[in-house]
Amino acid sequence: MLPWVKLDEATMPGGGVLRLMQRGAEFSIMSGTTELMNSRLSGSEEQLATLSAARLAGRAKPRILIGGLGMGFTLRAALQSFPAGSEIVVAELVPEVVAWARGPLNAIHGTSLDDDSVTLHQGDVATAITSGKPFDAILLDVDNGPDGLSRPANDRLYSTAGLATAKAALTSGGHLAVWSSAPDAKFTKRLKQSGMTVEEIGVRATRSGRGARHTIWFATKACLPKVAPVSGQRHASKQKAKANGANLKDRDSL
């Protein structure tokens, strides 16, 4: 078997080291001894985008925020799944990850970062959530689950306050989607306490539907009801309309 070869490494702001590894035609991004992503396992990351697009069907030009570029699986699936005219913002904290996309991982990423609908936010996704709102969907795949595994500061994204911030950044009926390598009952409970409608879905790691089962949470913000005028307002509107009609008749008689 071919040995793994380290191509590069990057120190993340706030702690932690990412390593880009290669074995033949296979690539892996590691955090310590934990594999964050592998070029052979793209299925669940792609479904993060495809399932999101299905939930937004009917919206002509949705605005999407993808947290974490990684190997670009979610971005490429988003470009294929969302309608033309969509706006996709990709937030990536680590500059080297963007450099890898244009360098050793270019064959995987292709020209996705150069698509006219894509804007790269090179910085913290938490900043992108607040500065770029509103979004119709926020897709988070910045850790192996709802905790700051790769970067402790990411814990705030999954906290009660972080979920409230994400909810506030969503349009009516929009959703927050979080990818995880495993279920997390405490996070599910926290999501439900946010006041959003929560769905937890098990997805396979590979396109073939085999391999490890991963988890995606979809938390949907309630649609704002259409506000009808109160009875007094309706009555006043009718009276005003009648008065306008009478004025027109008076003018006609002149």
Side-chain angles (χ1 to χ4, degrees), residues 107-139:
I108 298 174
H109 284 266
T111 60
S112 57
L113 281 176
D114 300 317
D115 192 282
D116 291 339
S117 62
V118 175
T119 300
L120 178 64
H121 173 92
Q122 196 158 305
D124 197 330
V125 66
T127 302
I129 289 173
T130 56
S131 66
K133 63 183 180 182
F135 294 102
D136 296 292
I138 299 173
L139 315 182

Side-chain angles (χ1 to χ4, degrees), residues 35-137:
E35 183 175 67
L36 299 179
M37 59 203 72
N38 186 289
S39 58
R40 295 186 299 105
L41 306 174
S42 62
S44 59
E45 287 91 344
E46 291 169 346
Q47 289 190 67
L48 183 62
T50 57
L51 294 174
S52 174
R55 282 162 171 74
L56 293 179
R59 298 201 184 196
K61 296 180 180 181
R63 294 190 73 242
I64 314 300
L65 172 62
I66 298 176
L69 173 61
M71 291 186 176
F73 299 134
T74 301
L75 172 58
R76 291 194 303 281
L79 288 170
Q80 295 174 358
S81 303
F82 288 101
S86 300
E87 182 182 347
I88 302 174
V89 179
V90 181
E92 176 53 55
L93 179 67
V94 184
E96 287 86 349
V97 172
V98 178
W100 296 343
R102 300 190 184 282
L105 299 180
N106 181 254
I108 298 174
H109 284 266
T111 60
S112 57
L113 281 176
D114 300 317
D115 192 282
D116 291 339
S117 62
V118 175
T119 300
L120 178 64
H121 173 92
Q122 196 158 305
D124 197 330
V125 66
T127 302
I129 289 173
T130 56
S131 66
K133 63 183 180 182
F135 294 102
D136 296 292

Side-chain angles (χ1 to χ4, degrees), residues 1 9 16 21 27-28 32 34 38 52 56 58 118 123 130 139 146-147 151-152 157 172 176 180 208 213 215 247 249:
M1 180 180 291
E9 70 177 30
M21 309 293 292
F27 293 91
S28 174
T34 302
N38 186 289
S52 174
L56 293 179
V118 175
T130 56
L139 315 182
D147 59 70
R151 181 173 177 256
L157 294 171
S172 175
L176 167 70
S180 177
S208 65
R213 185 177 290 276
T215 299
N247 289 338
K249 289 180 179 179

